[in-house]
């Protein structure tokens, strides 16, 4: 978890983007969280919701965002569970040996930036 946070933080810092970073385990429990003091406050909530969404769907939030649009096949999915799902790029599942072991979420940058920082962190892992 700390490796992911450090790598995501370095990528975001290099781009000059203040972010929040959330790492969840396979059960959805918080393993690590970091919010840059310059990041907008809501980024803490969005990073966690993105990680939770990626975990529940075992997919990057960037890959499923179109599925929940009004004309998408999973339009009602964001309200189907008791916890909020967030279909904005920046959440990615974490796998080890083909098994889902957790998820990483970033919030604070543009969606494409958050997704890129998350991908960079996964590569560091």
């Amino acid at each position: 978890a700390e490796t992911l946070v450090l790598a995501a933080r370095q990528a975001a810092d290099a781009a000059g983007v203040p972010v929040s970073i959330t790492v969840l385990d396979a059960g959805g429990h918080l393993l690590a969280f970091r919010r840059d003091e310059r990041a907008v406050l809501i980024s803490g909530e969005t990073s966690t919701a993105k990680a939770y969404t990626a975990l529940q769907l075992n997919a990057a939030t960037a890959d499923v965002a179109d599925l929940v649009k009004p004309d998408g096949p999973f339009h009602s999915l964001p309200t189907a569970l008791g916890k909020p799902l967030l279909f904005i790029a920046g959440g990615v599942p974490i796998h080890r040996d083909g098994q889902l072991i957790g998820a990483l979420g970033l919030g604070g940058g543009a969606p494409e930036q958050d997704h890129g920082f998350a991908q960079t962190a996964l590569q560091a892992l």
Side-chain angles (χ1 to χ4, degrees):
E2 294 302 323
T3 298
L4 290 165
V5 170
L6 180 61
R9 177 182 176 193
Q10 288 174 338
D13 286 350
V17 179
V19 296
S20 290
I21 305 159
T22 301
V23 181
L24 303 176
D25 69 11
H29 302 100
L30 183 65
L31 289 177
F33 176 81
R34 181 204 180 265
R35 187 182 74 80
D36 185 305
E37 68 233 13
R38 298 169 295 133
V40 294
L41 291 177
I42 197 170
S43 68
E45 297 296 326
T46 61
S47 69
T48 301
K50 290 176 186 184
Y52 183 76
T53 303
L55 179 67
Q56 290 299 316
L57 299 177
N58 193 13
T61 54
D63 295 341
V64 295
D66 287 341
L67 299 176
V68 297
K69 289 184 177 178
D71 60 345
F74 300 119
H75 174 63
S76 64
L77 190 59
T79 57
L81 301 175
K83 288 193 173 187
L85 299 178
L86 187 58
F87 292 87
I88 299 173
V92 294
I94 305 166
H95 296 97
R96 178 179 291 145
D97 299 326
Q99 296 292 322
L100 179 65
I101 62 165
L104 169 67
L106 275 95
E112 302 79 29
Q113 290 175 310
D114 291 344
H115 181 73
F117 303 148
Q119 292 294 95
T120 297
L122 286 180
Q123 290 172 2
L125 189 60

